[in-house]
Amino acid sequence: MDHEQRVELIIEGAGCASCVGKIEGALKGVSGVVGAEMNFAERTVSVDGSVPIDDLIKAVESVGYNAKGTEGVSEDDLMDEKEATDLAYYKRLMREVTIALTLGIPLMAYSLIVGEMTVTTTTERIVWLIIGLLTAGVMYFSGKHFYVGAWKSFLNHSANMDTLIALGTGTAWIYSMVVVFFPTVVPDMARHVYFEATAMIIGLIDLGLALELKARGRTSQAIKRLIGLQAKTARVIRDDKEIDIPIEKVLLNDHVRVRPGEKIPVDGIVVEGHTAIDESMLTGEPMPVEKKESDEVVAGTLNKTGSVVFKATRVGKDTALAQIINMVKRAQNSKPPISRLADIISAYFVPVVMIIAVVSALVWLNFGPEPAVAFAIVSATTVLIIACPCALGLATPMSVMVGVGKAAEAGVLIRNGEALQTASKITAMILDKTGTITLGAPKVTNIHLVNAKDEDGVLHLAASLEAGSEHPLAMSIVESAQDRGLSPSGVEKFKAIAGHGVEGVVEGKELLFGNEKLMRDRRINVNGAIDAAQQMAAEAQTPMYFAVGGQLAAIIAVSDPIKEDSIEAIRRLQKNGIRVVMLTGDNRATAKAVANKVGITEFFAEVLPEEKSNKVAELQMQGEIVGMTGDGINDAPALALANVGFAIGTGTDVAIESADITLMRGSLHGLADAIAVSKATLRNIKQNLFGAFIYNVAGVPFAAGVLYPFFGLLLSPVIAGAAMAFSSVTVVTNANRLRLFKAQEH
Amino acid sequence: MLIINILGILLIAGIVWWFWLYKPADVSENSSDLLVTVKNGVYQPARLKIPAGEAASIKFLREEASPCAGTVVFSDLDISEELPLNKQKTINLPALTPGTYSFTCQMQMYRGELIVSDKP
């Protein structure tokens, strides 16, 4: 750090103005610090001096506060910077194109109109010498990057596109200069110059690079849109004052006010007010979501109606939006297995093309008609110029970039290229029932008394027992009790019996709450209640047996409503030839009722959580490529074992870590969208790879002159240059076609 | 003509040897402070050596505006990072098992190797 340098630190935990002196003092005490000044309102401190930032952070920590640097550049700034870099590079390329084509086009026109550019007279030698020198100027001003790149790669024992272009144009120019200086070295008929080829090829390939750059810019539109969702400033409340600060400076637990029409700057929990928030930009869910105290809000979403204050719970790189951006960026740059062959080929491609060029020249020299030297030079140059490793290399990444971005726009986060490719091949999809097909918010719909006297008494005991449980069914019991104004008592000896139920002691009574199997295991007589339970199950309600003091007291039925669009989305999957299988821990009758309603014929009921992955394996044994959809937490082992694990996020709660693909909204349409976008992307990759392979496989032999003996056809190096320049533009443009993909095709 | 043919065959042999058979010496060996410059179509140095079983970090400095230079991908490690122009970007690597890991640009035209070996 220079003496002149100023470092800004964000201070956490500074709650009172007296902290200012302590922190400034601690920093000034560090040797090398010239000055330290704290802005208490913003909780930042500016330090002048030549000290590593870690030492400054330690000094602040030594007096009991936390500090962090503000050096991190925001995604927004990075994107702006990238755009500025690309624009400057584009302008430079276009300048180079202009210089090269200003010489190349008239020369080309001359060769087409006047004819052969031969060197016979002294005047011609002088004129061509001048043009040769002008071409050298073009090579320097417009093509220097090819030659420098080729040379550096050569020293590195590698070869790339620069190598081919440098060799191709270099060969044409050197041969032409030899003709100009030593015409007698080559046979009469071969005294031909190719300066127009050199200038045109450089111009055209620079033009191709410029167009490719423009097209590439469009491939990252989705990520740009996500980054654009971030608010730039936040209105935080510090010392009862509301101040606007950059979002990078928002601290954990800061209270932040958001007014109608403003974006939520960081993740948090509402502490005051209520509003409706449009989360569509993140989740694809079109309806605004009501938010009141204790509800979560997510950075990047739009506050619609009310003014709210929320407490910041995740800031900076930890917000869901930042994680989503990070994940999409990573996925956009990852490669699906389909690209492996292209990758292997591109690693060997350039030296192979160089060898083909040499072989082609030798064949022409040995067996070609006169002027064999000219034919050899033309064919070698054309082979070098037409071969396009870029088209091969670009084929996959460009499509993945657009496809992953397009998926993100539809609220589908794809972890990497492999998940993208496998998702396109899924033949069977396992859907967890609760929370996936259904809302996952069950309600008590029926209380059938057996030995108990009143419903409220039963519900009170049941709710007291379940208060400590996190199971969705338990929560429905507790909520129902609250709705009836019943407050729970304390529970002792609480124990959850996985996949079966719970037990515990409330008000001295031994309680047991769970499925029929649990009752039978504990030898509780349920015989008189089986019919009622079956009736409930047939109506898609989940009956649960409640025993008090070793005797069945009641059956409480809860029902979890099916999501509005589950039926339609499942039909969409089935229409695409996917075998849809439902999986649930619920009893068989309830499972059957739900399956019937949503049109699923195959289901597994009463599956214990640890058995879910066995069902995935079972389908895989049958040769299916299995997708598993669950909530990402309880289903982690099954999600991991499936060929593709889909986690259903509930809008804000993004289970990024556990799944290959995360659906940001609850709707199962996301699933069909994810598969559709994967298929479209894979199709696009295949088109690109096919195009790139065919182009090189057909182009290189054509350039070498294999058609000459049969049809007298030999490709001009200029045409080869144009084809090469536009082959990679074509690949990027084809990838951009994916942007037109419509996610929700019902 | 014979001489030209022999020269041609020698040229082919030279290409095979230079680009495929010849392995340049390890250029950079240091676990704490590796700097790779991205310029003129290559990574410099293009071969890095780090000890196995230790986390390491590599700084990349992109000095070339071409978009090809803009991303570095360690495909075996599922790492892909954008490189800003003229600014160092640190890439943190987890502790790795011995082996050779390649790093490339998106299109595999810029190529480098990370050699992870057991400590002597």
Side-chain angles (χ1 to χ4, degrees), chain A residues 212-224:
Chain A
E212 184 192 312
L213 189 69
K214 278 278 162 198
R216 270 178 187 240
R218 285 192 287 273
T219 61
S220 52
Q221 259 180 359
I223 196 88
K224 245 185 263 175

Side-chain angles (χ1 to χ4, degrees), chain A residues 643-658:
Chain A
N643 299 81
V644 185
F646 293 82
I648 291 236
T650 49
T652 57
D653 176 24
V654 186
I656 285 177
E657 291 309 320
S658 58

Side-chain angles (χ1 to χ4, degrees), chain A residues 470-494:
Chain A
E470 284 171 2
H471 196 278
L473 293 181
M475 283 161 67
S476 69
I477 307 280
V478 175
E479 276 169 20
S480 281
Q482 279 168 352
D483 290 347
R484 296 193 187 195
L486 305 167
S487 45
S489 306
V491 59
E492 293 164 53
K493 297 181 186 169
F494 176 83

Side-chain angles (χ1 to χ4, degrees), chain A residues 407-431:
Chain A
E409 278 181 8
V412 175
L413 298 183
I414 299 174
R415 174 178 286 279
N416 55 32
E418 193 169 347
L420 178 81
Q421 180 169 344
T422 319
S424 72
K425 294 194 229 156
I426 286 175
T427 54
M429 176 66 75
I430 301 183
L431 303 175

Side-chain angles (χ1 to χ4, degrees), chain A residues 15 56 59 103 117 156 240 326 364 371 404 467 484 499 512 522 525 542 601 636 671 686 740 745:
Chain A
L56 300 177
L103 180 68
M117 301 203 288
N156 242 358
D240 296 329
N326 198 17
W364 277 104
V404 168
R484 296 193 187 195
L512 198 57
R522 299 298 173 93
N525 185 2
T542 305
T601 49
L671 212 52
K686 283 177 190 163
L740 305 174
E745 289 164 7

Side-chain angles (χ1 to χ4, degrees), chain A residues 78 81-82 85-86 89 92 148-149 152-162 212-213 216 329-330 332-335 343 346-348 350-352 354-355 358-359 362 365-366 389-390 393-394 397-398 401 416, chain B residues 1 4-9 11-12 15-20 22-24 39-46 62 64-68 71 73 75 78 80-82 84-85 87 89 104-111:
Chain A
L78 274 181
E81 207 177 286
K82 186 173 177 297
T85 305
D86 284 354
Y89 187 60
R92 197 186 96 190
V148 176
K152 295 275 180 185
S153 319
F154 177 76
L155 294 180
N156 242 358
H157 296 265
S158 64
N160 56 26
M161 184 190 89
D162 291 342
E212 184 192 312
L213 189 69
R216 270 178 187 240
K329 273 175 126 177
R330 266 180 37 196
Q332 282 186 324
N333 284 322
S334 74
K335 292 198 173 178
D343 286 351
S346 42
Y348 295 98
V350 176
V352 167
M354 286 157 70
I355 291 170
V358 177
V359 170
L362 288 180
L365 284 171
N366 283 293
C390 294
L394 280 171
M398 288 298 116
M401 185 87 118
N416 55 32
Chain B
M1 202 55 227
I4 290 176
N5 283 335
I6 291 171
L7 282 177
I9 290 164
L11 186 57
I12 292 172
I15 292 170
V16 171
W17 176 74
W18 185 258
F19 292 107
W20 290 327
Y22 181 89
K23 284 277 172 197
K39 197 180 174 185
N40 297 323
V42 291
Y43 294 121
Q44 193 62 42
R62 170 190 173 197
E64 182 185 333
S66 159
C68 306
T71 309
V73 182
S75 54
D78 205 15
S80 140
E81 289 285 347
E82 281 180 24
L85 189 63
K87 272 184 194 160
K89 168 101 182 189
T104 63
C105 70
Q106 259 189 341
M107 298 181 347
Q108 310 245 352
M109 290 288 109
Y110 297 59
R111 305 182 73 87

